[in-house]
């Protein structure tokens, strides 16, 4: 796709284009000079494919106005916006320090302290934008930019979510930071941004993605219902990130809580400042050997403590024990009192009252009978207790719809014990109780067991990747076989410059377009293409026509780096996925092979599989 504006073009009579910085999923990004205020700015122009849709153009204009009113120390500022020759643009702050994605691609890893400061600053910015009605839904390291002083800013708030409804398929990059609720087609919320930030911090500190996979589907499935992996490198960040990345969005920290928890780890309000050339803190130097605890629990002594422990009667030695026995000549043992010996050498008879009398067989028999009675009595009492004779009966409360934590609190005072089983449910939210036994209202003794089934959420069905561009009949039949209901409303046809007339152009579940998976039994809407929009941008003196959308050759990227590969595939208007070491991340160093091979003619926006290392 050729750039919309050429270098030296003056936009709106004020912003002179210097160069094209890059092309994303939503906009072209240019570096420009603000001729009025003599400063560098970033110009973001909505892609023609998106600008062809009136609802997208209207949403972009509205967001530019709202975003221009935001002011936060960790947000990229929006200055201006407008439209020229059919192109809608936004003028925002130019941040020359690069992105977190650029930093991580160099192999740089953040220390625990740097990760906590970065997360605190970004979470504080997220709390601010959430309060003003913005949800990003696609936070990633490429959207965390640094100014010339090395301070982080969250960018592209006004662009967030504009392209979500028009994505034909999800790439590995799209799936890297999506939340579990987004993976099953639910719309993103403020909790989704918190989840994404937790995954970004995990990757920034450990150097690897939290969830790996060769395909977007595999990456997203790996995180459904699964907690964040435990890694030693996270140190004190571990528990905070785990709470921010819980699979159930209702249990996660919100952005304000997340910022406060991370701020508590650093102990001051100084912002993160990342400067070029800073050396990474070695892993082992980030941790100090803990001192043995002196008041909580048992702490085994170290070898040095054992070897150096004082002996004898000095301080810290074990107390000496004197054995009782006859004192030897010159010895120090203690003597034992003996009974008097008669002149005949026999022990005299003891007088009653002076010493205890010897026990007779009759007294031993009495003790045995008493012991037997006590044993029988104990057995009887135990049987009665087990039968509930001494237990108080209580009415079983209604636990259906409660979380396990709420249910545990509800039965605690009655002494009931919960036995938990996990079940899939399309109607009950994950983590809530689906059913219980005995039923609510029944009578049960204190200490009785109640069985509760806790929802794992819906059983997910992965959608075929061939739905888009298939016929309505073909897509409906394929979905029916998976237990999914699909309809093709005649009044819901949409314009599409990439899908042929009368083919499926979009699959919609709730508000999510083209989801990877949906719950079994769900209903989806299939939007049929009615061809290109008649008012799509055309060639003018400042814009160029779209590149052809027919077959194109796969570029030769064998041996290329990640950045070179991205540039080549952007130019060819193709996508790629990766396999091999480093697949699904941006840390791989070169392409080993590609399938199909270089030069093969493939369809517009096709995906090529790259083996990387």
């Amino acid at each position: 796709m050729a750039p919309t504006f050429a270098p030296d073009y003056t936009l709106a009579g004020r912003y002179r284009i210097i160069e094209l910085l890059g092309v994303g999923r939503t906009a072209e990004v240019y570096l420009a000079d603000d001729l009025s205020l003599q400063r560098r700015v970033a110009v973001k122009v909505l892609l023609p494919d998106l600008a062809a849709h009136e609802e997208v153009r209207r949403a972009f204009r509205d967001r530019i106005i709202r975003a221009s009113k935001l002011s936060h120390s960790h947000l990229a500022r929006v200055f201006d916006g407008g439209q020229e020759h059919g192109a809608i643009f936004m003028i925002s702050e130019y941040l020359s320090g690069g992105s977190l994605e650029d930093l991580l691609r160099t192999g740089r890893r953040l220390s625990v302290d740097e990760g906590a400061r970065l997360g605190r600053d970004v979470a504080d910015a997220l709390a601010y934008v959430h309060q003003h009605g913005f949800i990003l839904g696609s936070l990633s390291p490429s959207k965390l930019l640094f100014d010339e002083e090395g301070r982080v800013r969250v960018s592209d708030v006004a662009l967030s979510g504009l392209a979500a409804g028009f994505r034909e398929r999800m790439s590995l990059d799209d799936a890297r930071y999506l939340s579990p609720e987004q993976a099953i087609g639910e719309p993103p919320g403020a909790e989704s941004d918190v989840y994404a930030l937790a995954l970004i911090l995990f990757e920034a500190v450990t150097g690897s993605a939290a969830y790996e996979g060769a395909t977007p589907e595999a990456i997203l499935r790996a995180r459904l219902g699964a907690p964040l992996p435990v890694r030693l490198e996270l140190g004190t960040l571990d528990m905070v990130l785990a709470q921010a990345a819980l699979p159930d969005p209702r249990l996660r920290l919100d952005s304000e809580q997340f910022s406060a928890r991370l701020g508590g780890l650093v102990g001051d309000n100084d912002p993160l400042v990342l400067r070029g050339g800073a050396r990474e803190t070695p892993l082992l130097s980030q941790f100090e050997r803990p001192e043995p605890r002196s008041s909580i629990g048992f702490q085994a002594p170290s070898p040095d403590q054992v070897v150096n422990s004082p002996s004898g009667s000095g301080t810290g030695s074990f107390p000496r024990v004197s054995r009782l026995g006859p004192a030897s000549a010159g010895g120090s043992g203690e003597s034992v009192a003996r009974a008097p010996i008669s002149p005949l050498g026999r022990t005299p008879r003891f007088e009653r009252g002076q010493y205890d009398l010897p026990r007779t067989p009759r007294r031993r028999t009495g003790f045995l009978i008493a012991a037997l009675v006590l044993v029988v009595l104990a057995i009887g009492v135990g049987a009665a207790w087990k039968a509930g004779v001494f237990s108080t009966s209580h009415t079983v409360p209604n636990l259906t719809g409660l979380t396990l934590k709420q249910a545990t609190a509800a039965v605690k005072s009655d002494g009931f014990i919960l036995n938990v089983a996990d079940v899939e449910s399309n109607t009950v939210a994950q983590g809530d109780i689906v059913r219980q036994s005995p039923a609510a209202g029944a009578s049960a003794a204190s200490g009785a067991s109640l069985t509760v089934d806790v929802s794992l959420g819906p059983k997910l069905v992965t959608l075929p990747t061939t739905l888009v561009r298939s016929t309505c009949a073909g897509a409906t039949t394929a979905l029916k076989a998976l237990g999914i209901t699909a309809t093709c409303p005649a009044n819901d046809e949409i314009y599409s410059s990439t899908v042929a007339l009368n083919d499926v152009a979009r699959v919609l579940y709730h508000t999510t377009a083209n989801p990877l998976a949906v719950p079994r039994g769900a209903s989806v809407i299939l939007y049929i293409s009615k061809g290109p929009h008649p008012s799509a941008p055309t060639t003018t003196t400042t814009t160029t026509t779209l590149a052809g959308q027919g077959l194109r050759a796969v570029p030769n990227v064998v041996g290329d780096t990640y950045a070179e590969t991205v540039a080549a595939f952007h130019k060819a208007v193709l996508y790629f996925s990766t396999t091999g070491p480093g697949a699904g991340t941006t840390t791989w160093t070169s392409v080993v092979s590609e399938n199909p091979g270089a030069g093969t003619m493939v369809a517009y926006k096709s995906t090529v599989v790259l083996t990387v290392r």
Side-chain angles (χ1 to χ4, degrees):
M1 185 184 301
T4 302
F5 298 112
D8 293 328
Y9 178 79
T10 301
L11 184 63
R14 174 175 175 179
Y15 306 106
R16 186 175 62 214
I17 302 296
I18 298 175
E19 62 176 332
L20 176 67
L21 296 177
V23 180
R25 297 295 179 88
T26 308
E28 300 171 344
V29 183
Y30 298 86
L31 176 63
D33 278 328
D34 182 345
L35 301 179
S36 296
L37 299 179
Q38 299 296 308
R39 63 181 176 182
R40 291 286 170 89
V41 295
V43 179
K44 301 185 178 182
V45 181
L46 194 64
L47 293 180
D49 283 355
L50 295 174
H53 301 278
E54 176 59 32
E55 65 269 31
V56 178
R57 295 197 299 271
R58 188 182 303 113
F60 189 32
R61 294 189 192 100
D62 175 68
R63 291 182 180 206
I64 292 173
I65 295 172
R66 291 170 53 207
S68 67
K69 300 176 182 178
L70 301 179
S71 178
H72 189 279
S73 58
H74 295 292
L75 276 183
R77 291 173 293 172
V78 173
F79 299 135
D80 197 2
Q83 181 171 342
E84 186 161 316
H85 299 292
I88 303 176
F89 62 89
M90 176 179 71
I91 308 298
S92 63
E93 183 178 13
Y94 173 64
L95 300 168
S96 60
S99 68
L100 180 61
E101 182 79 28
D102 298 332
L103 187 71
L104 298 181
R105 197 176 297 164
T106 65
R108 169 73 183 275
R109 300 293 171 256
L110 302 187
S111 68
V112 172
D113 181 78
E114 289 174 333
R117 292 180 188 277
L118 174 71
R120 177 201 58 193
D121 297 343
V122 174
D124 191 53
L126 291 178
Y128 177 79
V129 299
H130 292 161
Q131 292 170 1
H132 288 78
F134 284 95
I135 302 294
L136 274 64
S138 57
L139 185 66
S140 68
S142 63
K143 295 183 179 179
L144 301 182
L145 306 181
F146 296 96
D147 60 21
E148 60 184 5
E149 296 180 352
R151 301 173 190 268
V152 69
R153 307 283 188 89
V154 179
S155 69
D156 293 348
V157 171
L159 292 170
S160 59
L162 285 178
F166 302 90
R167 181 184 60 220
E168 292 186 5
R169 67 184 305 275
M170 185 174 293
S171 68
L172 286 170
D173 286 340
D174 293 329
R176 281 168 66 188
Y177 309 105
L178 283 191
S179 63
E181 59 270 22
Q182 290 175 278
I184 62 172
E186 298 294 336
E191 303 86 357
S192 305
D193 291 340
V194 170
Y195 186 94
L197 178 56
L199 264 58
I200 291 170
L201 296 178
F202 182 100
E203 185 174 329
V205 174
T206 67
S208 60
Y211 303 99
E212 301 285 359
T215 64
E217 292 84 356
I219 292 176
L220 293 179
R221 281 191 173 276
R223 71 190 58 178
L224 293 178
L228 198 67
V230 177
R231 292 286 291 271
L232 176 65
E233 304 97 302
L234 293 174
T236 53
L237 278 174
D238 180 65
M239 184 57 69
V240 181
L241 296 188
Q243 292 174 319
L246 289 171
D248 189 341
R250 298 169 301 175
L251 303 179
R252 281 180 215 145
L253 300 175
D254 61 33
S255 49
E256 189 172 354
Q257 292 170 330
F258 196 18
S259 178
R261 296 283 180 88
L262 292 170
L265 298 181
V266 298
D268 59 54
N269 296 321
D270 295 339
L272 172 72
V273 177
L274 291 180
R275 301 186 183 279
R279 298 179 59 186
E280 180 180 2
T281 305
L283 171 62
L284 295 181
S285 68
Q286 296 179 23
F287 304 94
E288 295 182 358
R289 182 184 180 87
E291 292 297 328
R293 294 184 294 180
S294 59
S295 61
I296 303 177
F298 169 73
Q299 178 72 38
S302 68
D304 290 340
Q305 290 172 318
V306 173
V307 172
N308 297 325
S309 176
S311 59
S313 60
T315 303
S317 63
F318 292 104
R320 300 182 61 182
V321 178
S322 298
R323 297 186 178 276
L324 299 179
S328 58
S332 60
E334 298 179 5
S335 62
V336 178
R338 299 174 180 272
I341 304 298
S342 70
L344 298 179
R346 294 194 297 262
T347 303
R349 290 182 60 86
F350 299 136
E351 297 295 334
R352 184 177 300 274
Q354 181 180 0
Y355 297 99
D356 289 337
L357 295 175
R359 293 180 180 176
T360 64
R362 182 176 297 177
R363 289 186 70 178
R364 286 198 297 268
T365 301
F367 282 132
L368 290 174
I369 293 174
L372 182 60
V373 171
L374 289 176
V375 171
V376 172
L377 183 61
I379 294 174
V381 170
W385 180 271
K386 187 173 182 180
V389 173
F390 303 111
S391 299
T392 304
S393 294
H394 299 281
T395 301
V396 176
N398 184 13
L399 306 178
T400 303
L402 302 181
T403 65
L404 191 57
K405 183 177 180 180
Q406 293 170 333
T408 301
V411 303
K412 183 177 181 180
S413 60
D414 294 334
F416 293 135
I417 300 172
L418 294 182
N419 292 329
V420 181
D422 294 326
V423 297
E424 292 177 336
S425 175
N426 288 337
T427 57
V428 179
Q430 180 182 2
D432 288 353
I433 294 175
V434 179
R435 64 184 71 91
Q436 68 181 86
S437 178
S443 180
S446 178
S449 294
L450 309 182
T451 300
V452 294
D453 294 337
V454 178
S455 173
L456 291 173
K459 181 177 180 60
L460 297 180
V461 177
T462 301
L463 298 185
T465 58
T466 56
L467 292 178
V468 173
R469 295 191 176 86
S470 62
T471 63
C472 174
T476 303
T477 302
L479 291 173
K480 184 178 180 181
L482 298 174
I484 307 299
T485 303
T487 56
C488 305
N491 58 343
D492 281 337
E493 294 182 343
I494 60 174
Y495 291 110
S496 175
S497 59
T498 60
V499 178
L501 182 67
N502 295 328
D503 284 348
V504 175
R506 189 190 310 169
V507 180
L508 189 69
Y509 173 67
H510 292 329
T511 60
T512 301
N514 303 325
L516 293 175
V518 298
R520 184 181 296 277
S523 297
V524 300
I525 299 175
L526 305 179
Y527 286 83
I528 303 302
S529 170
K530 52 183 180 180
H533 196 284
S535 62
T538 57
T539 303
T540 68
T541 57
T542 59
T543 62
T544 58
T545 57
L546 295 176
Q549 296 173 2
L551 297 178
R552 69 263 338 282
V554 174
N556 184 4
V557 294
V558 173
D560 285 0
T561 64
Y562 176 85
E564 293 169 336
T565 302
V566 170
F569 274 79
H570 268 309
K571 183 176 181 181
V573 198
L574 295 174
Y575 299 124
F576 68 85
S577 62
T578 54
T579 61
T585 72
T586 61
T587 58
W588 50 269
T589 57
S590 64
V591 177
V592 177
S593 63
E594 49 190 323
N595 183 28
T600 304
M601 301 302 292
V602 296
Y604 175 71
K605 291 189 176 180
S606 294
T607 299
V608 178
V609 179
L610 306 179
T611 302
V612 298
R613 62 184 175 192

